[in-house]
Structures are given as C-alpha cells and as structure tokens.
C-alpha cells in the first residue's frame, strides 16, 4: 500500500498478500417441500436453476426414483413414494443439494352414476352396463359386485332390491343400492329352426317327432 502526507511525501507499507477463496455454495432457485398427494395428482418436477456468487448460473443435476409397483392390479401401483433430488456444484467444489419426498396415496372411493329406480326387460337384469350403473375411479380399476333380494313378484314382473359394492384396487369401497323393476317383453327364442320336409302319403311317419326342435 502507498500513502502520501499533506506535503506530498510518499511512503509505502510492507508488501501484503491476499488469498481470494470461493467458499460459498450455489443457491437453488426453489426447494420443493415434502408432500402427500393423491395418485391422480402427481406433479411434474419443477425446473430449478442454481446461482453462484462467482460463477453465475451453473448446471443443476436432477435425479428421481420411486417405489411404485408395475402391476396395475396391485395397490402398490397407487400407494408409493417418489424421491426427487437436485444438486449443483461450482468450479471450486462448493455444492448444494435438495431432496423432496412425495408420498402418493389412493384413499378416494370410486364414484358412480345411477338411477334409484329403473325398469328393464327381465332378460337384461343380470347385465351390469352403463344403462344400469356408470362407475369410475380416480386411479385404479374397479370391481363391481351386487346381491339381489326379490321384494315383489307377480308372474312375469319382479321388483328387485339390488345392493352394490364398488371397490378399487386399494380397497376403497362405495356401497349403494338400486330398485330394479323387471317386466317380460321378449318373446321366447327358438333354439333351432325346423326345415321343410316331404313324405310319401303311404309312409308311416311320426310327424310330431320329425319336427321336434
């Protein structure tokens, strides 16, 4: 260092050496918190940058792993953990990292759309289709089962109390019921069709047996 007095006389100190070091780690732009989320709302990884006091913007390394089971018919496909990590290192090996844990769960029951009371032809009473019940789940396949109780029967017409159970792969279950009124509007179906035949007038033929279906 040099110095000068008011009369212009100059002097100097002994030589001093300074060592400049970079000891500060970069700073990540975002540090996502740990969350618990429904299986149908898993967020995409955010874009995270890293700023260094000396080096400016530096590269961020992203890694992700999960415990999800591959089989869609197993609850572990919908209840699992995602681990995401971001790290950045500057030229002086100062580093920063952040890890986020996402717990993915399926706790939502299936949803159904149905009429409390319906009237159908009796031959369709065992069909479970959208004309009787429409159902869906936020994540997984659904097993829909039912039990019937006859509450009124009068010949060709019946009134059935039907108890439904809609259960998804993680055993989230919805119970509901429906009154199914049936009526017979369909003619019988022939198992086969008789063909035309010719017989001699002097033949001893059992005609009834020949045309038996």
């Amino acid at each position: 260092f040099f110095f000068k007095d008011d009369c212009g006389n100059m002097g100097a100190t002994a030589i001093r050496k300074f060592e400049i070091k970079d000891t500060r780690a970069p700073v990540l732009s975002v540090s996502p918190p740990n969350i618990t989320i429904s299986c149908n709302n898993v967020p995409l990884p955010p874009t995270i940058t890293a700023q260094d006091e000396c080096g400016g913007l530096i590269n961020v390394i992203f890694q992700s792993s999960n415990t999800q089971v591959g089989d869609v018919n197993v609850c572990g496909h919908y209840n699992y953990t995602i681990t995401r990590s971001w790290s950045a290192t500057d030229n002086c090996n100062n580093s920063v990292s952040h890890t986020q844990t996402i717990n993915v769960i399926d706790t939502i029951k299936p949803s159904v759309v149905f009429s409390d009371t319906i009237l159908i032809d009796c031959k369709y009473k065992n069909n479970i289709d959208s004309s009787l019940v429409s159902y869906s789940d936020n994540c997984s396949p659904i097993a829909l089962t039912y039990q019937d109780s006859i509450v009124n029967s009068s010949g060709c017409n019946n009134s059935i109390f039907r108890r439904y159970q809609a259960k998804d792969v993680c055993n989230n279950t919805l119970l509901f019921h429906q009154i199914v009124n049936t009526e017979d509007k369909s003619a019988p179906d022939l198992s086969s069709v008789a063909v035309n035949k010719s017989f001699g007038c002097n033949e001893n033929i059992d005609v009834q047996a020949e045309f038996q279906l």
Side-chain angles (χ1 to χ4, degrees):
F1 294 93
F2 295 93
F3 57 89
K4 182 170 62 174
D5 63 17
D6 291 339
C7 295
N9 301 305
M10 296 189 65
T13 64
I15 296 175
R16 296 288 186 266
K17 293 182 180 181
F18 296 91
E19 185 177 4
I20 300 174
K21 291 184 177 180
D22 179 4
T23 59
R24 293 192 178 184
V27 177
L28 296 176
S29 60
V30 180
S31 296
N34 297 333
I35 56 175
T36 296
I37 202 77
S38 178
C39 50
N40 61 325
N41 286 319
V42 178
L44 294 173
T47 299
I48 296 179
T49 60
Q51 181 73 36
D52 188 61
E53 285 188 346
C54 298
L57 284 174
I58 58 175
N59 184 49
V60 175
I61 298 173
F62 170 70
Q63 293 179 313
S64 180
S65 63
N66 65 74
T67 62
Q68 186 178 33
V69 176
D71 189 347
V72 297
N73 295 309
V74 176
C75 188
H77 187 79
Y78 310 99
N79 286 351
Y80 59 97
T81 300
I82 301 173
T83 303
R84 294 172 175 172
S85 64
W86 296 263
S87 62
T89 303
D90 65 16
N91 291 330
C92 294
N93 290 323
N94 301 304
S95 63
V96 63
S97 64
H98 175 74
T99 299
Q100 179 192 38
T101 300
I102 302 175
N103 293 311
V104 182
I105 58 174
D106 181 6
T107 59
I108 299 177
K109 297 178 181 180
S111 61
V112 297
V113 177
F114 68 101
S115 298
D116 293 335
T117 303
I118 60 172
L119 177 63
I120 59 173
D121 192 301
C122 60
K123 71 177 182 179
Y124 298 121
K125 68 182 180 68
N126 293 324
N127 293 358
I128 301 299
D129 57 26
S130 58
S131 65
L132 303 181
V133 176
S134 177
Y135 52 91
S136 62
D137 188 70
N138 63 323
C139 294
S140 73
I142 299 173
L144 184 68
T145 58
Y146 66 88
Q147 290 182 333
D148 285 346
S149 300
I150 303 295
V151 294
N152 186 30
S153 179
S154 58
C156 296
N157 301 323
N158 292 310
S159 184
I160 300 169
F161 184 80
R162 177 165 289 174
R163 296 176 177 86
Y164 288 97
Q165 175 181 273
K167 181 187 295 186
D168 68 14
V169 173
C170 289
N171 291 323
N172 300 303
T173 303
L174 177 68
L175 303 175
F176 60 102
H177 65 267
Q178 184 179 55
I179 299 298
V180 181
N181 295 315
T182 67
E183 56 184 359
D184 188 354
K185 290 185 175 181
S186 301
D189 295 323
L190 296 176
S191 59
S192 61
V193 179
V195 297
N196 297 330
K197 295 185 179 182
S198 298
F199 304 102
C201 60
N202 60 343
E203 293 185 67
N204 184 17
I205 298 296
D206 185 348
V207 176
Q208 183 68 26
E210 290 290 335
F211 287 96
Q212 184 70 39
L213 297 179

